[in-house]
């Protein structure tokens, strides 16, 4: 069974947004009197559900999250995106060489995904096939998020490939039984099955072509 559907994460996989998103968290918490390190946030919270991140940081630093925190954070991220967001290096080259159906599957809200793709000129590769955990009510690392999207798209898990940049997302793909490619620039250790690590998006077309066909 050949690979006919590619399921991409967004932040850190298609668009180089992880630093910007976590910079916004740092700036928001600075207003609460808490000093956070952006690199530490990226390392420890990349790919996780926003509500869980805020809950952990609130508890750790003993500060309540005000009601306006999340909308102010979203506005701050949007402004940072407008000024600084770029696509991941070589990702558009890879996308242009991949004939398969493509979709985005993200833990982020749909409006944020669409904004990022528009700014980076990548929306043309995905059309309406943009899926947010907020709408699906399934969040990575729950494998059901990818199984649900595959069903919506009318494909079998064996026909899909997941492309992710975080352990959280890779866990979701691996545990769904889907061939998963891990854009692992920081050489994170894992023992997940059905996962292939890589470091350059230019290699993506050949990696997908080399994946064994499911029977």
């Amino acid at each position: 069974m050949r690979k006919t559907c590619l399921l991409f994460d967004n932040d850190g996989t298609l668009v180089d947004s992880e630093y910007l998103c976590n910079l916004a968290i740092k700036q928001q918490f600075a207003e609460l009197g808490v000093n956070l390190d952006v690199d530490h946030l990226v390392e420890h919270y990349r790919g996780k559900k926003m509500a869980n991140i805020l809950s952990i940081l609130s508890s750790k630093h003993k500060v309540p999250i005000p009601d306006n925190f999340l909308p102010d954070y979203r506005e701050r991220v949007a402004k940072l995106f407008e000024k600084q967001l770029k696509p991941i290096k070589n990702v558009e080259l890879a996308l242009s060489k991949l004939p398969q159906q493509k979709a985005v599957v993200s833990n982020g809200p749909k409006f944020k995904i669409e904004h990022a793709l528009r700014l980076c000129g990548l929306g043309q590769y995905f059309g309406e096939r943009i899926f947010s955990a907020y709408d699906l009510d399934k969040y990575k690392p729950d494998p059901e998020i990818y199984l649900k999207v595959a069903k919506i798209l009318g494909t079998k898990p064996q026909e899909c490939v997941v492309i992710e940049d975080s352990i959280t997302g890779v866990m979701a793909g691996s545990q769904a039984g889907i061939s998963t490619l891990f854009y692992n620039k920081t050489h994170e250790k894992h023992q997940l099955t059905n996962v292939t690590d890589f470091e350059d998006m230019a290699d993506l077309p050949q990696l997908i072509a080399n994946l064994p066909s499911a029977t």
Side-chain angles (χ1 to χ4, degrees), residues 24-145:
I25 291 176
K26 173 185 170 66
Q27 293 172 347
Q28 289 287 117
F29 271 90
E31 295 181 357
L32 302 177
V34 177
N35 183 31
L36 300 175
D37 180 77
V38 179
D39 292 331
H40 177 86
L41 290 171
V42 172
E43 180 181 356
H44 292 278
Y45 300 105
R46 187 171 77 253
K48 296 186 184 297
K49 183 180 178 181
M50 188 63 186
N52 293 345
I53 295 172
L54 295 184
S55 177
I56 292 168
L57 292 174
S58 173
S59 176
K60 181 178 180 180
H61 297 283
K62 297 179 172 56
V63 291
I65 301 298
D67 291 341
N68 65 326
F69 187 100
L70 197 54
D72 287 354
Y73 165 78
R74 297 294 184 201
E75 183 177 351
R76 194 183 294 269
V77 167
K79 289 179 179 178
L80 287 169
F81 277 14
E82 292 280 352
K83 293 179 180 179
Q84 301 181 48
L85 187 66
K86 297 179 180 179
I88 290 292
K89 183 180 178 181
N90 290 329
V91 76
E92 186 161 17
L93 174 66
L95 290 170
S96 70
K97 294 181 177 181
L98 292 165
Q100 296 92 338
Q101 177 178 236
K102 305 170 193 67
V104 182
V105 185
S106 170
N107 269 358
K110 189 172 183 179
F111 67 84
K112 178 191 168 194
I113 305 167
E114 292 176 333
H115 185 216
L117 294 177
R118 184 169 63 253
L119 289 173
C120 291
L122 302 179
Q124 61 180 313
Y125 296 102
F126 303 98
E128 299 299 315
R129 298 180 300 278
I130 297 172
F131 299 92
S132 165
Y134 286 75
D135 301 323
L136 297 167
D137 198 29
K138 298 292 180 184
Y139 291 81
K140 304 169 192 177
D142 186 343
E144 188 62 28
I145 187 171

Side-chain angles (χ1 to χ4, degrees), residues 147-165:
L147 295 174
K148 201 167 186 178
V149 169
K151 186 174 182 179
I152 292 169
L153 294 174
T155 61
K156 298 177 181 179
Q158 304 96 303
E159 298 175 308
C160 298
V161 181
V162 163
I163 302 96
E164 282 277 359
D165 75 300

